[in-house]
Amino acid sequence: MIRRFFISLCLIFALTGATLIILYYQGFSRVAVNHPVFEPPPRGVILLIPLDSRPPCTDYVSSLARMAGFQVLLPPSEMLDNYRQPGNTAALRNWLSHNASLADSAIISVDMLVHGGLLASRKGLGSVETAEGVFNLLRTLHDQNPQLKLYAFNIISPRLLISDDPRTEKFKQPMLEWSMLQETATLFENPNDIKRLQNLELAIPADIPERYRNLYAANHRLNQQLVALAKTGILSGLVVGQDDSAPFGLGNMERQRLENEISGHPEMQEKVFITRGTDEVALTLLGPVTRSAAEERRKVFVHYTEAHSADVIMPYMPKPLAQTVAEKLAIIAADATESPNEADFILVVHAGSSHSLDGQLSAEATQIRAWLEAGKNVALVDLSIDWVASQTLLPYLQRNGAPIQQLIAYAGWNTASNSIGTALTQAALTIRGASNRVFETALYRDITRVGFLSERILDDWFYQKIYRHQLNEKLQKLKIDPYDLHQAHPVVAGQINHQVYNAYLEYIRWGLA
């Protein structure tokens, strides 16, 4: 799981400068000489209260919104969290209230407004009074700003692994097993599971499991109240995400409990969504936020590069890939179709492992190249079970000579849900933005697409799958904590900038091959 790593500060300069280089080599600068490209007036303005201050929760949302012609307004950075320091919930509520008249819609993290961010929500830092203040604010915003459509999201918390804490740290693994046994012992009634659960409860201080259960109970009440706001129309949409998990655990039981409560209200199926994932939830809400009432549902052909991939359960995920794909399709108002010829775009899902066959992946790269050269819209989710570049599909596309820059989306970051949600949303917004017939506007939006695509390849593939491993190993040898650089930050930032810049030059050569 990606923490607030130094990547958020170190990559931004390299990515911004190098994007201009790649756009030049891909021919955009030649067009821009005769047709200066400026950001056109936005189709709409979106207020964003992010889950936390990391780039996936802030910058990604802004970039994707621009592809469809929308502007995102964020609170000042000083109001947001700073890793373990929670955000200023009172200031954020005031900011939202004061800026409501400027926007057409709002995407609101309830975790941020109640607790001060994701990490704070895992510790339950918010109070009942704060939560009630947030609900009152949502009602007031709805009543006083009839033009403002409110979309909220909340994360089922705590996650499977208990949050780092000096006292509970040594019980992290026992609590992980305890949580999983809560579900398996209930479902299967295996005597060995029941006995092991009893032993764990004797070994773990009683207040730790009790606090864990209390956090879930408080989170459930919060979600129930949000669902009620959606039923009454105060919320135009609601997404409940499930934090890092596994096939069994208390988080799954909580999710199932919430699903059972909602299942009796079929009218809420296109308004309330429960999904695996956390960091990408805000950006997936751009799907319904930017969709016009007249727009038809998209058709998507989902293609897995290996026959078994649809049933693979990736790390930190409780269910197979196919179920996560179905959840994300529902959020962007899209339906799976059986033929690539009738699809608005093709979603290629790759889940590489040490068992992936070279010949099979080469054949898949050939198929993707054929689709791209035939003018098909293709989005690629490029996952690796072991988070290594050798298990990804991108190198096969490069060797095959596929026009990678024509992909309408690429994603392969930390979890399957993050990547699938990002790729599907980018694809949907790219197509939505391309519908504009004004040349300069369409060009600006496509440049935004290429820039974000390039960043994803650099970050999700080169940095996460290659350089991060090398850098962490180097830092550990120097006895430097990768998550707490202190005075080493400037030197490390310079090294990352240098490596990313060189990787960008290599990516440019791919495009020219």
Side-chain angles (χ1 to χ4, degrees):
M1 180 68 184
I2 299 177
R3 298 184 183 183
R4 179 163 292 95
F5 202 38
F6 46 86
I7 178 178
S8 61
L9 294 176
C10 301
L11 285 183
I12 187 168
F13 301 109
L15 294 178
T16 301
T19 296
L20 299 177
I21 297 173
I22 195 166
L23 292 179
Y24 174 84
Y25 278 97
Q26 290 176 344
F28 286 109
S29 64
R30 180 171 49 82
V31 175
V33 170
N34 297 322
H35 300 275
V37 179
F38 303 102
E39 183 171 3
R43 295 172 54 192
V45 177
I46 304 167
L47 299 180
L48 173 63
I49 298 293
L51 178 65
D52 56 38
S53 59
R54 290 172 299 162
C57 305
T58 53
D59 298 344
Y60 288 18
V61 185
S62 297
S63 296
L64 288 173
R66 283 197 298 273
M67 293 178 203
F70 288 78
Q71 179 186 11
V72 170
L73 298 181
L74 277 158
S77 59
E78 57 268 22
M79 292 184 186
L80 300 177
D81 62 301
N82 183 15
Y83 194 22
R84 296 185 185 277
Q85 178 183 337
N88 187 332
T89 58
L92 287 165
R93 292 197 298 273
N94 288 334
W95 179 88
L96 184 58
S97 180
H98 291 158
N99 289 277
S101 62
L102 305 177
D104 309 285
S105 55
I107 298 175
I108 300 167
S109 167
V110 177
D111 292 289
M112 176 60 83
L113 287 186
V114 173
H115 302 284
L118 178 62
L119 293 185
S121 74
R122 290 172 179 168
K123 297 181 179 181
L125 297 187
S127 65
V128 174
E129 292 75 20
T130 303
E132 190 55 42
V134 171
F135 298 136
N136 289 334
L137 172 61
L138 294 175
R139 296 185 188 100
T140 301
L141 290 173
H142 176 74
D143 292 340
Q144 296 182 355
N145 301 274
Q147 90 292 349
L148 187 68
K149 294 184 177 180
L150 300 172
Y151 295 82
F153 67 101
N154 192 52
I155 306 303
I156 295 175
S157 189
R159 61 176 178 172
L160 188 62
L161 280 173
I162 58 178
S163 297
D164 294 338
D165 181 271
R167 179 172 178 269
T168 61
E169 177 68 29
K170 63 180 179 179
F171 298 105
K172 180 177 288 188
Q173 289 304 318
M175 279 296 295
L176 170 66
E177 186 180 0
W178 175 86
S179 177
M180 296 173 69
L181 286 170
Q182 292 293 321
E183 187 172 10
T184 58
T186 301
L187 289 175
F188 309 121
E189 298 182 350
N190 184 310
N192 292 332
D193 284 352
I194 294 172
K195 180 62 176 177
R196 176 57 181 162
L197 182 58
Q198 291 171 343
N199 291 337
L200 283 170
E201 290 179 338
L202 291 174
I204 301 171
D207 64 304
I208 296 178
E210 180 182 7
R211 184 171 181 273
Y212 198 69
R213 290 186 183 278
N214 288 340
L215 287 172
Y216 274 118
N219 182 265
H220 185 79
R221 290 191 295 271
L222 200 63
N223 288 327
Q224 285 179 315
Q225 290 171 294
L226 291 170
V227 170
L229 292 178
K231 288 179 182 177
T232 60
I234 291 172
L235 293 180
S236 296
L238 170 66
V239 175
V240 178
Q242 183 178 0
D243 208 343
D244 292 348
S245 52
F248 297 102
L250 270 179
N252 297 332
M253 298 175 74
E254 173 56 30
R255 174 196 168 99
Q256 188 61 56
R257 181 183 174 195
L258 195 60
E259 285 180 337
N260 291 341
E261 294 177 4
I262 295 173
S263 63
H265 302 276
E267 73 279 4
M268 304 298 291
Q269 288 183 359
E270 296 187 7
K271 197 171 185 180
V272 177
F273 305 94
I274 304 178
T275 183
R276 284 87 182 168
T278 301
D279 299 344
E280 85 292 355
V281 172
L283 68 84
T284 60
L285 269 168
L286 288 172
V289 167
T290 63
R291 180 172 179 256
S292 67
E295 184 178 318
E296 295 184 356
R297 293 177 67 88
R298 296 292 178 189
K299 293 182 179 180
V300 181
F301 178 69
V302 182
H303 175 75
Y304 295 93
T305 59
E306 297 173 279
H308 65 280
S309 293
D311 299 319
V312 168
I313 299 177
M314 296 293 287
Y316 299 108
M317 300 298 295
K319 295 294 181 181
L321 280 172
Q323 292 194 29
T324 301
V325 170
E327 292 170 2
K328 304 303 183 186
L329 285 173
I331 295 174
I332 66 167
D335 301 307
T337 184
E338 296 298 320
S339 170
N341 294 325
E342 64 182 25
D344 294 294
F345 66 90
I346 298 166
L347 177 71
V348 177
V349 182
H350 174 68
S353 72
S354 58
H355 302 293
S356 296
L357 300 177
D358 185 76
Q360 171 68 20
L361 300 188
S362 295
E364 290 297 325
T366 300
Q367 174 63 80
I368 294 172
R369 176 178 177 176
W371 278 330
L372 290 171
E373 291 179 343
K376 301 287 187 186
N377 291 318
V378 180
L380 172 59
V381 174
D382 199 9
L383 304 172
S384 160
I385 287 180
D386 298 312
W387 284 290
V388 292
S390 60
Q391 295 177 4
T392 62
L393 192 61
L394 188 65
Y396 291 88
L397 292 174
Q398 183 268 325
R399 289 194 293 267
N400 186 272
I404 297 169
Q405 71 276 8
Q406 291 182 24
L407 291 170
I408 62 170
Y410 178 91
W413 46 306
N414 57 349
T415 69
S417 58
N418 295 159
S419 299
I420 293 168
T422 302
L424 279 174
T425 304
Q426 183 183 356
L429 269 60
T430 294
I431 293 173
R432 191 165 293 155
S435 62
N436 191 286
R437 296 185 179 181
V438 178
F439 175 78
E440 288 79 6
T441 299
L443 179 61
Y444 173 84
R445 292 176 184 173
D446 200 50
I447 289 175
T448 305
R449 172 193 65 83
V450 174
F452 189 77
L453 175 70
S454 303
E455 290 178 11
R456 297 281 52 72
I457 290 174
L458 278 178
D459 189 348
D460 301 1
W461 186 74
F462 170 73
Y463 183 84
Q464 299 296 342
K465 306 295 193 306
I466 299 176
Y467 186 59
R468 183 170 62 91
H469 301 297
Q470 300 170 358
L471 183 60
N472 279 356
E473 183 178 347
K474 180 179 179 180
L475 291 174
Q476 288 166 6
K477 286 181 179 179
L478 295 173
K479 300 187 184 306
I480 298 173
D481 183 357
Y483 299 102
D484 197 1
L485 293 174
H486 290 300
Q487 66 270 20
H489 181 275
V491 175
V492 174
Q495 292 177 349
I496 292 176
N497 280 336
H498 177 71
Q499 292 294 330
V500 171
Y501 181 79
N502 288 340
Y504 228 127
L505 295 179
E506 181 64 23
Y507 175 33
I508 290 169
R509 286 192 284 272
W510 290 4
L512 296 177

